Every structure is written in C-alpha cells, then in structure tokens.
Amino acid sequence: MHKKVIIVTGGGTGGHLMPAISICEELHKQNFVTILITDKRCENYLPKDLDFKVVIIEVARANGIFSYYKPIITGIKSLISILCLIRKTKPQLVIACGGYSSLPVLLASIIARVKFALHEQNAVIGTVNYLLSYLSQRLFISFIHTINLPLIDSKKIILTGIPILESHNKDTEFFMKKKSDIITIMCTGGSQGASIFDELLPKTMEVLVSKLPETKFNIIQQVRRADCDHLVKRYKEIGVNADVSKFYHNISEKYLCADIFISRSGAGTVNEIIHYALSAILVPYPHAKNNHQMHNAMNLVEFRAAWLIKQEKISPEILATKIQEILEDKDALLYAQNQLKKLQIDSRKIITQEIHKIIDKTS
C-alpha cells in the first residue's frame, strides 16, 4: 500500500514557516510522505536534520512600478516546477500556511485539481485566504475572535490555534528553578519595528531600578546584531544582569525563566505566550497590515490574559510602572496565567484529524 502524500507550504517569515514545519512534523509521525515547500528567504530559518523533504522555490517581490517582470517570471517558473512536483508525487492534499511561497503552490493545486486547506495565523483573515477559502476544504483559524471571516459553510472553519514545533513541546515540562528572588524580564521585538525596544528597555530598567532599589533584575533580550555589545554595556552601567543575543537556539528555556515578557504581538509570538503561559506586556506594531497585531493582542487582553500598551502611548516611565504593577499584583498574575492555560489547545491533533477527514472523505 502506497503512503499518502501531503504538500505543506509557508514562507516569507518565520511566522508562516514554523506552523508549516510543525504540521509536517506531525504528519511525518503519522506515516505520511510529507513535502514542505518554502522560499529562499526562509532557508536560514529551517531547522537542521528535518525528517521530510524540503523544496525551495524562488518568489520575488515588486519594488516599483517597472519591476513586476521579475515576480511574474519567477512566479511562472515556480508554478511550473510545482506542477511537475504534483504530477510526480500525486498528493492527496495541499496545506497552505501563508506567505508569498503559498500562492504559486495554491495556484498549482487548483490547476491540478488537488484538494487544499488553508491556515490563517492572524486574527484578521488575509486577502488570499479570504478569496481561496471558497474553494478550500478547510479554513483553519488561530483565534476565537477572528475578523473578516468568509461567508462559507461554518463546518469548514475550524479553530486550531497555531501548531508549535516539536522542540517546544518537548521542553514544556522543563522549568529552571530560581536560586534567588531575581526578577527576569524577557523582551523579543519580532521582525517588524523591533528596534523600539533596544532604546526603550534600558531606559525602562533605569526607572525600574530607581523605583525598586531592593529588587534584583535580570534581562533576556533578543536584539539586532549591531546593538548587542552596546546594550550589554548599557545594562552593566545600570547594574542589571543581561543576556543579550541576536538569536536564541534554546528559546524555550528562556521563556520558562521569564517573570515578565515584553514583545510585539505577531501571531507566532502570541501563540508562544499561550503555550508557555507567559505574563506578557504587548506593544502591537501599529503599521502591521490590517492592524492585525492589535487584533491578535486583543484576543489575549479581552480575556485578561495579557496587558497591552499602544506604541504611541509607551514611554520608559509608563512601561516601568506597568511592570511594577504586574509584579505587585499576584492575583492578576495568577489569573492571567490561568486564562492562558484555558486558551491552550492541541493544534497539531486538531489539524491532523481534519486532514484525515478530508482524505478519507468522511466529511
């Protein structure tokens, strides 16, 4: 009996790629032949030693009114190569997790008459997912409150959350015991508008140290490579221990050490806040398409599972005051963590169950 083949695609950013990899991991465990299609921009984000095949395609973006020829040419080349792959492998299903690499894969599946499902990470349905949802077998959504839902059969819209990598699942039982009462504040900026935290957090710590002179603080901060040495020096001058890096390979351990987590509210980040039940202060990127970061954040804030400060209102004094308030309100902290645990769902299990239904024609 031949194994069933499933193609999964996602790229452009880690927020689209990581859910695609997670789905591939789970499908591989269930004995599917799994093929991941992503673009060259995501090549550096790919974990080593993946157990499934990865196909890299070229997807170009137009940078001006006279530069559309390159995206058109690369798009046609990618479409042809994907059609050849589909003809050779005969997949039962295509799953698209968004990003520029997903579009040629979806177009190829439509031309080849291969069933497909869509996964939307953000709390606002994107244009491509909205339009193609009318042809898809399923529309997987990540948040209870999702905006711009299409007028399709409600049975096709499935709340799944965002599937997380196997490496994160393995580390959820790990917890680093604190040897003292040091408060650890962790900050990641995300890929959009991250530099705001490189200036904001050191100034915030200056205020916080003056407000709470008896409290010892530790900083874990993901920053731009150019700012690493400068920020280490700044924190040393303030008298705060700091672990500053461009990238953390052991990110799960860092999450589990954090007392307070400060970040943007991209879909992947919000999902990890839920997964690790992090006490989070969210500063949505105000220029995100369709203001989706604000909508992502509100899915936590409305449940009193996180705190929000708009970028136009933030300052070192305001952020320091908010951190102090959270640390001193143990009841609010515990309530937020309990709310986050209620939002945790087994995304991989739900998605694979639906995949079996589609393939087995039981729905």
Side-chain angles (χ1 to χ4, degrees):
M1 185 178 178
H2 294 294
K3 290 184 178 181
K4 293 176 180 177
V5 178
I6 295 181
I7 291 175
V8 184
T9 181
T13 66
H16 294 301
L17 177 65
M18 297 308 166
I21 292 175
S22 179
I23 293 170
C24 287
E25 288 176 337
E26 187 64 26
L27 290 172
H28 178 77
K29 284 169 60 177
Q30 297 193 23
N31 215 28
F32 285 95
V33 175
T34 312
I35 302 168
L36 172 66
I37 300 178
T38 189
D39 57 65
K40 286 188 175 181
R41 288 172 298 174
C42 282
E43 233 175 332
N44 294 330
Y45 301 141
L46 288 168
K48 295 179 181 179
D49 303 321
L50 292 172
D51 293 324
F52 44 84
K53 182 178 180 179
V54 178
V55 175
I56 306 294
I57 61 173
E58 186 175 355
V59 182
R61 296 177 63 181
N63 295 318
I65 193 167
F66 298 110
S67 62
Y68 281 93
Y69 71 93
K70 187 174 181 182
I72 291 171
I73 291 170
T74 57
I76 291 171
K77 286 182 178 178
S78 296
L79 182 63
I80 292 170
S81 66
I82 296 162
L83 282 169
C84 291
L85 178 67
I86 287 174
R87 184 178 180 182
K88 181 180 178 181
T89 59
K90 296 180 173 57
Q92 276 69 43
L93 184 67
V94 167
I95 304 169
C97 295
Y100 291 98
S101 60
S102 288
L103 185 56
V105 180
L106 286 168
L107 290 176
S109 67
I110 292 169
I111 292 169
R113 297 186 178 181
V114 176
K115 294 178 181 178
F116 64 89
L118 306 168
H119 186 281
E120 175 61 64
Q121 288 91 49
N122 288 303
V124 183
I125 302 293
T127 303
V128 172
N129 279 350
Y130 181 88
L131 294 173
L132 293 185
S133 65
Y134 290 91
L135 300 175
S136 70
Q137 298 295 310
R138 297 288 189 279
L139 173 60
F140 301 130
I141 60 173
S142 302
F143 296 102
I144 294 171
H145 299 303
T146 298
I147 295 171
N148 198 33
L149 284 172
L151 298 174
I152 59 175
D153 185 350
S154 59
K155 292 179 181 178
K156 288 171 58 175
I157 301 174
I158 310 294
L159 176 65
T160 65
I162 302 176
I164 206 152
L165 295 179
E166 185 73 24
S167 57
H168 286 284
N169 286 324
K170 286 178 181 176
D171 290 323
T172 52
E173 297 303 318
F174 168 87
F175 188 79
M176 189 174 288
K177 296 288 184 182
K178 291 182 180 297
K179 296 179 181 178
S180 65
D181 294 328
I182 296 174
I183 299 298
T184 297
I185 296 173
M186 182 174 178
C187 178
T188 62
S191 59
Q192 292 186 308
S195 60
I196 181 177
F197 297 113
D198 297 357
E199 274 299 315
L200 177 67
L201 197 56
K203 292 179 180 178
T204 298
M205 294 314 301
E206 287 180 346
V207 176
L208 206 53
V209 167
S210 67
K211 280 174 169 280
L212 302 170
E214 302 300 316
T215 304
K216 292 184 178 180
F217 291 97
N218 181 51
I219 293 293
I220 300 171
Q221 188 174 1
Q222 191 170 1
V223 302
R224 298 176 301 179
R225 186 187 300 276
D227 291 334
C228 282
D229 293 340
H230 164 68
L231 284 172
V232 168
K233 185 178 178 181
R234 281 286 306 276
Y235 286 123
K236 190 174 182 179
E237 291 170 352
I238 298 167
V240 174
N241 224 14
D243 176 0
V244 178
S245 179
K246 181 180 182 292
F247 183 79
Y248 294 105
H249 291 283
N250 58 337
I251 191 73
S252 55
E253 292 181 19
K254 305 298 180 184
Y255 283 144
L256 291 164
C257 292
D259 294 289
I260 300 290
F261 180 67
I262 302 166
S263 73
R264 293 299 196 188
S265 50
T269 300
V270 170
N271 187 53
E272 288 174 351
I273 289 168
I274 294 170
H275 183 77
Y276 290 99
L278 297 171
S279 303
I281 299 171
L282 300 174
V283 186
Y285 181 57
H287 308 297
K289 187 177 180 181
N290 299 322
N291 202 21
H292 69 255
Q293 287 210 6
M294 178 62 74
H295 294 294
N296 293 348
M298 291 308 296
N299 271 273
L300 299 188
V301 175
E302 288 179 355
F303 281 96
R304 290 168 57 198
W307 293 264
L308 182 144
I309 304 175
K310 292 183 179 180
Q311 181 168 311
E312 61 267 27
K313 294 184 178 179
I314 203 165
S315 68
E317 292 75 18
I318 287 173
L319 182 55
T321 300
K322 179 56 69 177
I323 292 170
Q324 183 180 1
E325 287 174 0
I326 294 170
L327 291 174
E328 291 175 352
D329 192 342
K330 302 300 181 185
D331 290 338
L333 264 173
L334 182 61
Y335 185 85
Q337 289 178 340
N338 287 333
Q339 289 296 89
L340 288 168
K341 289 174 183 177
K342 290 177 184 178
L343 292 171
Q344 293 171 350
I345 55 180
D346 193 340
S347 301
R348 287 161 63 130
K349 181 180 178 181
I350 296 169
I351 289 171
T352 51
Q353 283 176 342
E354 293 300 319
I355 289 169
H356 279 289
K357 288 180 184 179
I358 296 166
I359 292 175
D360 298 337
K361 298 179 181 179
T362 58
S363 66

